[in-house]
């Protein structure tokens, strides 16, 4: 998953193929995770891919609605930020575990801690960018 904003809109057919493929992969990952064949990280990555594919399909269906496209792109960027944050937290946890085992790499722990802070900041900025709901129009005053 890329961290950069993507403004291209897929065709409806291509987006539907992606949703179908990612849904099948997600269902397989769900079963595999329940059976202990894959890690939670792999399961979460499959879930993020499926959510992202659904948003891209919504974008394809709203190709002629710039406001909707902007909201959907923000939703995709937010999904990417959530995925980055989850990955950064897993890496920090692992680095902390390694450091606790006596390996003197406190610098790596601090670097991963900073990555978590950066990911949290990016996610907070994106969620703050959520466009406000416009107020209803005020009726004209009658003389």
């Amino acid at each position: 998953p890329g961290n950069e904003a993507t403004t291209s809109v897929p065709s409806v057919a291509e987006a539907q193929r992606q949703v179908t493929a990612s849904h099948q992969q997600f269902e397989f990952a769900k079963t595999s995770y329940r059976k202990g064949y894959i890690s939670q990280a792999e399961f979460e990555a499959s879930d993020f891919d499926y959510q992202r594919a659904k948003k891209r399909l919504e974008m394809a269906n709203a190709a002629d609605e710039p406001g909707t496209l902007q909201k959907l792109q923000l939703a995709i960027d937010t999904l990417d930020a959530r995925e980055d944050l989850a990955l950064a937290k897993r890496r920090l946890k692992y680095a902390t575990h390694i450091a606790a085992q006596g390996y003197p790499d406190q610098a790596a722990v601090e670097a991963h801690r900073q990555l978590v802070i950066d990911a949290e900041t990016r996610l907070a900025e994106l969620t703050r960018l959520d466009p406000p709901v416009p107020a209803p129009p005020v009726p004209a005053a009658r003389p």
Side-chain angles (χ1 to χ4, degrees):
N3 290 337
E4 57 281 341
T6 310
T7 56
S8 66
V9 178
S11 70
V12 173
E14 178 58 29
Q16 185 59 55
R17 281 192 292 275
Q18 283 298 111
V19 167
T20 301
S22 62
H23 181 258
Q24 290 171 346
Q25 187 174 8
F26 172 68
E27 289 300 322
F28 181 74
K30 190 178 349 179
T31 301
S32 298
Y33 178 66
R34 285 183 186 145
K35 292 180 178 182
Y37 297 145
I38 65 171
S39 69
Q40 180 177 353
E42 292 168 307
F43 170 71
E44 288 175 358
S46 179
D47 183 28
F48 280 118
D49 287 342
Y50 178 47
Q51 298 304 319
R52 196 174 296 106
K54 289 192 304 186
K55 293 295 181 192
R56 298 283 293 163
L57 177 58
E58 288 180 48
M59 286 179 84
N61 286 322
D64 58 346
E65 302 171 26
T68 302
L69 288 176
Q70 186 178 8
K71 289 177 189 176
L72 290 168
Q73 185 60 55
L74 179 59
I76 290 171
D77 292 345
T78 302
L79 277 171
D80 290 344
R82 289 183 197 283
E83 185 175 23
D84 291 347
L85 178 57
L87 179 60
K89 284 182 175 181
R90 279 194 299 278
R91 288 180 175 168
L92 174 60
K93 182 178 177 181
Y94 179 72
T96 303
H97 172 75
I98 293 298
Q101 300 299 314
Y103 295 96
D105 199 2
Q106 196 59 34
V109 172
E110 291 308 314
H112 286 292
R113 187 169 284 124
Q114 186 59 48
L115 289 173
V116 169
I117 291 168
D118 293 346
E120 288 173 336
T121 301
R122 179 171 177 250
L123 182 58
E125 289 170 357
L126 286 169
T127 54
R128 239 189 333 267
L129 291 176
D130 229 349
V133 177
V138 177
R142 295 184 182 213

